Amino acid sequence: MINQTEKKKRLLAGIQRYVVFFLLMAFVITCCMTLFITLLGNAMNVTFTESNIRQAAVLTFANVLWLSLLCTIIDGIRRRYMVERPVKRIISAAEKIMNGEFSTKIEPFPGIYDTDGFNTIIRYINKMAEELSGTETLRTDFIANVSHELKTPLAVMQNYGTMLQAPELPEERRLEYAKAITESSRRLADLITNILKLSKLENQQIYPNKQTYNLGEQLCECLLTFENVWEKKNIEIDTDIEEEVFVESDAELLMLVWNNLFSNAMKFTEPRGTVSLNLRSNGEWAVVQVSDTGCGISPEVGAHIFEKFYQGDTSHATQGNGLGLALVKRVVDIVGGDIAVRSEVGKGSTFTVKIRRKDDGEI
């Protein structure tokens, strides 16, 4: 049924093209012949009889019919090889992509097709399929990682909750199990919060609320919130903050950046280690450096440090969920800044963040 319908459509399209060619040629040839006969008659002083004109008209009409048919056939062959073949190949690939086969790739046609723009369309479709493939991979990995990260604290809470039901459980153990449940629930809440934040950031549902403020003051305020951590681990804090460095950015979003960087620095620095904070202006940029004397990261880990759920040091995996630096990278991109990491295994890491600063004359 589909083949019959397709044949009827092609037949009607062929007839339409034939009629168009016939009318066009009839008009052009009639005008040319009329002009030719008129000029020839005037130049040679010849008078054409009705019989001559009728014979010429019949011959011209037959030529128009033949030429129209010839042009229709040539145009049909051209369409079949120059239009229908590329269109069928593109449609076939598009259907595969719609069905989730993002590895589909369309081979470009020879150079003769470039003038019709089909190769341009093919390049864009191939690029689209490549981007969709990458997005699908990220989505699959994201779901797998989220599922794993959710299961871990839930399993801990379930196990300790079951043990808490023991009737003769000592009070010391009861408090220990309750604390473990609290810690797991806190980790679960932090994970969900970070997932929601990252989702909003990646979907551009959070827009920067720019304001001009003193970056040094914000860094000091943020660092002081970790005072109990560095005192507990006896970490030395070394600060070198240039005064009067102003930026025009979203203070709340940048607070998320500093909190994550300071938290990681404290987490990976061993007791009696050092965490350094440096702020300086460099041309149009305000440059913030957060350094630690922790375990450091290898070049292989550094290449993936800003990916979601990636945790280079598994010994500290229970203290985070691998979303912090992904959030940091996304926020820095949104505010138009730049972030880089320099690290050496066993000697610590330095994160450098550049934020466009506000000139003194603009404040």
Side-chain angles (χ1 to χ4, degrees), residues 170-186:
E171 186 65 21
E172 182 180 351
R173 288 291 180 85
R174 191 180 302 275
L175 292 175
E176 179 184 346
Y177 296 164
K179 182 179 179 181
I181 292 176
T182 302
E183 287 295 321
S184 296
S185 63
R186 177 195 59 77

Side-chain angles (χ1 to χ4, degrees), residues 77-121:
I77 295 174
R78 183 194 67 83
R79 284 175 172 272
R80 181 173 182 180
Y81 289 97
M82 301 289 291
V83 178
E84 291 181 5
R85 283 182 62 197
V87 168
K88 284 182 179 179
R89 185 180 294 185
I90 291 172
I91 290 175
S92 176
E95 289 177 347
K96 291 180 180 179
I97 293 173
M98 289 168 58
N99 292 328
E101 298 180 32
F102 300 126
S103 60
T104 301
K105 183 177 177 63
I106 311 175
E107 291 297 327
F109 286 91
I112 191 174
Y113 292 88
D114 283 343
T115 56
D116 292 330
F118 285 114
N119 281 343
T120 302
I121 297 173

Side-chain angles (χ1 to χ4, degrees), residues 4 12 32 42 66 75 117 150 173 182 221-222 250 270 274 278 317 321 325:
Q4 291 295 329
L12 289 175
C32 291
N42 293 335
W66 162 248
D75 183 63
L150 288 174
R173 288 291 180 85
T182 302
E221 292 174 2
C222 184
D250 191 310
E270 299 297 332
T274 302
N278 180 282
N321 47 53
L325 290 178

Side-chain angles (χ1 to χ4, degrees), residues 223-235 266:
L223 182 60
L224 286 173
T225 61
F226 293 88
E227 184 176 4
N228 61 329
V229 179
W230 81 60
E231 287 184 348
K232 183 178 179 180
K233 298 180 69 174
N234 198 21
I235 295 174
M266 302 293 177

Side-chain angles (χ1 to χ4, degrees), residues 37 66 84 93 119 127 130 147 181 189 230-231 251 258 261 264 303 308 312 315 353:
I37 291 173
W66 162 248
E84 291 181 5
N119 281 343
K127 184 64 177 176
E130 184 180 343
S147 301
I181 292 176
W230 81 60
E231 287 184 348
W258 314 135
L261 292 182
N264 283 343
K308 295 186 289 289
S315 64
V353 179

